[in-house]
Amino acid sequence: MADRKLSTLKRRLWYIVLFIPFFVAVWVPFFNRIEPSLFGIPFFYWFQFVWIVVAAIVTGLAYLAKV
């Protein structure tokens, strides 16, 4: 019974971790600005590209954890 509770808890934690990239991408006021720029690229663009990579890594880790 305790093993089942631990498995359910781990699954819920991974769901929360998977929700973070989604929440950051949907919350537009957080990244709706130009500065700071990176190599001349406005924050709005490079921030979204970084989160594409972060979301892919998080999704891969959740898959390997067999959620």
Side-chain angles (χ1 to χ4, degrees):
M1 184 69 162
D3 188 40
R4 186 173 179 193
K5 279 187 173 184
L6 182 61
S7 176
T8 304
L9 178 63
K10 286 173 72 175
R11 195 172 296 142
R12 286 183 183 168
L13 286 174
W14 274 111
Y15 290 149
I16 292 169
V17 171
L18 285 169
F19 182 72
I20 292 170
F22 170 77
F23 180 73
V24 171
V26 173
W27 190 34
V28 177
F30 181 70
F31 58 86
N32 189 17
R33 56 185 170 186
I34 295 173
E35 295 294 330
S37 61
L38 181 66
F39 306 114
I41 302 171
F43 180 77
F44 179 80
Y45 293 111
W46 69 259
F47 181 78
Q48 288 190 5
F49 282 119
V50 166
W51 276 98
I52 289 170
V53 174
V54 170
I57 291 170
V58 168
T59 303
L61 290 173
Y63 175 76
L64 291 175
K66 298 183 192 228
V67 171

